[in-house]
Amino acid sequence: MAERSQTAPEAGNNTGNDDIIGGNVSKYMVLPAGYCGQPKKGHLIFDACFESGNLGRVHQVSEFEYDLYIRPDTCNPRFRVWFNFTVENVKESQRVIFNIVNFSKTKSLYRDGMAPMVKSTSRPKWQRLPPKNVYYYRCPDHRKNYVMSFAFCFDQEEDIYQFAYCYPYTYTRFQHYLDSLQKRNMDYFFREQLGQSVQQRQLDLLTITSPENLREGAEQKVIFITGRVHPGETPSSFVCQGIIDFLVSHHPIACILREHLVFKIAPMLNPDGVYLGNYRCSLMGFDLNRHWLDPSPWAHPTLHGVKQLIVKMYNDPKTSLEFYIDIHAHSTMMNGFMYGNIFEDEERFQRQAIFPKLLCQNAEDFSYSSTSFNRDAVKAGTGRRFLGGLLDHTSYCYTLEVSFYSYIIGGTTAAVPYTEEAYMKLGRNVARTFLDYYRLNPLLEKVTIPMPKLRKEKPPPYKHPLLRGPANNHPNGKGDKKSSVNHKDPSNPF
C-alpha cells in the first residue's frame, strides 16, 4: 500500500471526519494533486447518486490508490456498512486499490473470504471479486480501524463499473416484481397497500391463499412474514421473493399450502431506507426493529401499520396467527439459521424447535446448530421478541437470518458463496417446510395440478392512487379461533 501523507483524511468512528459526509458523491472526478490540465481517461469518476447508492467521499492516496468513505445512514452516524457506487472514465488495463476505510463494524465476513460484488455495462450480471484480491485488516493510518481493501483492473474503457457490498435489491425492482405478479391476475394472490412510509413510499401487503379461505366466517391459519426492516440486508428480499414465487406457483405443494393456510407477507418494511441506500435505519435514523413496543404512526408508520394488523388478527377469534417470521441477513455468520424465544413452559420451548429442525432437513444451507433461542434485553424491541410475548402458546415467532456471504454444507469445510438464486432457493425451502410441519404430505398423492383460475371480474381500483394495477381487498373471518396443528467463472470475472 502507498504511504499516506500527514494531511490525508482519517476514517471516522462516531465522531470526527464522518460528520462532514452529508450525502453521496455525484459524478465526482478525482484529479491528481496539482493537476491543472484537461481531464483525461484514467481520471476516475465516482457516483452514488442513484437508488440504493452509497459512497460519501473519495480521497486519492496515490496514482493507483483511493480511500473510500461510506456515507452513514441518514440521521444516524453509527451505521456505516452498505456501499454501492459506480466508477467510469477508466483506462484500459488501469489497476487500482480501493480502501473502504470507515466501516462501523469490526467483525466481518471479509475475514472469512467474502468479497465485494462487481458488474459492468458489458457484463451486467453481479459477480464476486476473487477473494485473493481482498484484504481486511486493522490500519494504523485510520485510527487502527478495520479497513477492507481490494485490488481491481479495469479492462473496458467504455464500461461503467459498479461495486456493492452485496447483491442490491432496490425498491423499484420490488415494485416491478409485484406489478408483474399482479398482472397475472391469479385468484389466490392479493396485493394491498397497508400504509405509506415517511417519504410516501408504499407499504405492500400480500395475501396468498385459496379464495375459499377468505370468505366471510372462514377460519384462518395465518403465517405472517416480513422482510427488509434493515434496508442494507438485501438477501432478505431474495429469500422473501423465493417464498412468494413458490407459493404462487402451480407446484402441488404450493397448491396444498394455499388450500390450508393463509400467507400474509410484508416484504419491505423500510422502503425509505432501501431507496436511500441506508444499512440499518429509516429516513429519520431509527432502527425500526427496536421500536415494536410502541411504534409511532408518524416516525415509524410502516411498523405501526403492520403491528396494528397483527394485533387485529390476534384479537379475531376466527384467526389463528400461528407463525411470525422476520427475514434478515447476517454480517458475521455463515449459512441460514434462526433466532427464537425462550419460554418458561418447557413443552412450548420444545415445540418451537420443530420448525427449524424440519427446515434443516429440507435446506442444505440451513444450520440448526447455529440456531439459538434467547431473550437478551437488547433485543426487547424486535418483532420476534415483542410478538413472542404478545401472542399465545399456539404462535411461534422467529428471526430467519441468512449470511451475506456463504454457507457450508454438512460434512464439508468449504464455503459455498450465496448467489441470488441460492437465496431464493432458501425461500422456496422455507415455504415447503410448512407442508412437513402441518403433516400435509399424504395430501400430495391426491393432488392434480389445476389450471390457473382467473378472476371473473376486474376488481375495482384500489383507493390509494400510488398502487399501480388492480388490487383486491378481502374480508376478515369472524368466529371461533382455530387451534394449532452462463457467465464467466466468478473466480476470474474480469
Side-chain angles (χ1 to χ4, degrees), residues 34-46:
Y35 184 83
C36 298
Q38 289 294 317
K40 54 186 181 181
K41 281 286 185 181
H43 293 161
L44 302 184
I45 298 175
F46 293 81

Side-chain angles (χ1 to χ4, degrees), residues 195-237:
Q196 289 184 322
S197 68
V198 174
Q199 289 188 314
Q200 304 301 298
R201 294 184 181 90
Q202 62 193 57
L203 170 63
D204 288 284
L205 176 71
L206 311 180
T207 302
I208 303 173
T209 191
S210 169
E212 287 74 22
N213 295 327
L214 303 178
R215 71 183 187 278
E216 189 71 35
E219 295 181 332
Q220 298 182 356
K221 290 182 179 179
V222 175
I223 315 296
F224 206 107
I225 298 171
T226 56
R228 239 22 217 287
V229 69
H230 291 151
E233 296 176 5
T234 57
S236 164
S237 286

Side-chain angles (χ1 to χ4, degrees), residues 127-139:
Q127 300 175 54
R128 292 189 187 275
L129 291 174
K132 64 182 181 181
N133 293 352
V134 181
Y135 311 89
Y136 188 71
Y137 56 99
R138 278 189 182 274
C139 182

